[in-house]
Amino acid sequence: MPKLFEPLSLARGRAMSNRFMLAPLTNSQSHADGTISDDEFDWLTYQAEGGFGLVMTCAAHVQRVGQGFPGQLGVFSDALLPGLTRLARGIRAQGALSSVQLHHAGIRAPAKLIGGAPRGPPDDAQTGAMALSEVEIEQLIDDFVAAAVRCEKAGFDGVEIHGAHGYILCVGPLDENSCCQLS
Ligand SMILES: Cc1cc2nc3c(=O)[nH]c(=O)nc-3n(C[C@H](O)[C@H](O)[C@H](O)COP(=O)(O)O)c2cc1C
């Protein structure tokens, strides 16, 4: 598989130095306010140092109410920019491309974590989630866009949009055999 070690050029920006990409992995190392911790910075920059052509962050929430896990990295506010900028620089300094996975847990956001009922799109009896109004849907779209712009400002090479597992962009019925179960 010699091609794995060859550079890969993209439509925009720098080329990847090889075709190895670190998958988004929820590492639960951020501070409670969504800022990156030193441990998380070290984990992700070690992956870049280890030779990945692209390093992706864990799922990072674009709204406070979209937090799905304790210790999740946030991208919902400009107050998070210094930590995000440090991370983008740290990954770049090791020669890898960097990407942030944009996420909103929707009805799977634990009420205890977000301090209230989770948000739809639909009402959900199982989780107590409330449906989004049209205005809130517009706000959600704007917040995904704002998070992407924030990541670019921080110096990341790209973003990935998380659309799976019953999170806000692909909500579906949760059943006991589904990977969408709340834990
Ligand atoms: C601990 C752990 C955390 C994960 N976190 C995320 C995540 O934040 N976002 C995501 O899209 N996938 C997440 N995944 C899924 C992985 O990115 C990957 O798609 C999955 O593990 C399948 O790849 P594999 O067969 O190489 O393990 C996670 C997987 C594991 C094991």
Side-chain angles (χ1 to χ4, degrees), residues 23-27 57-60 69 101 160 162 164-165:
L25 293 169
T26 289
N27 44 306
T57 70
C58 63
F69 320 97
Q101 190 185 48
E160 176 183 78
H162 196 332
H165 307 321

Side-chain angles (χ1 to χ4, degrees), residues 138-157:
E138 295 291 343
Q139 185 65 55
L140 179 67
I141 295 168
D142 287 351
D143 287 344
F144 265 98
V145 172
V149 170
R150 192 168 290 123
C151 291
E152 185 174 36
K153 207 165 160 186
F156 287 95
D157 295 289

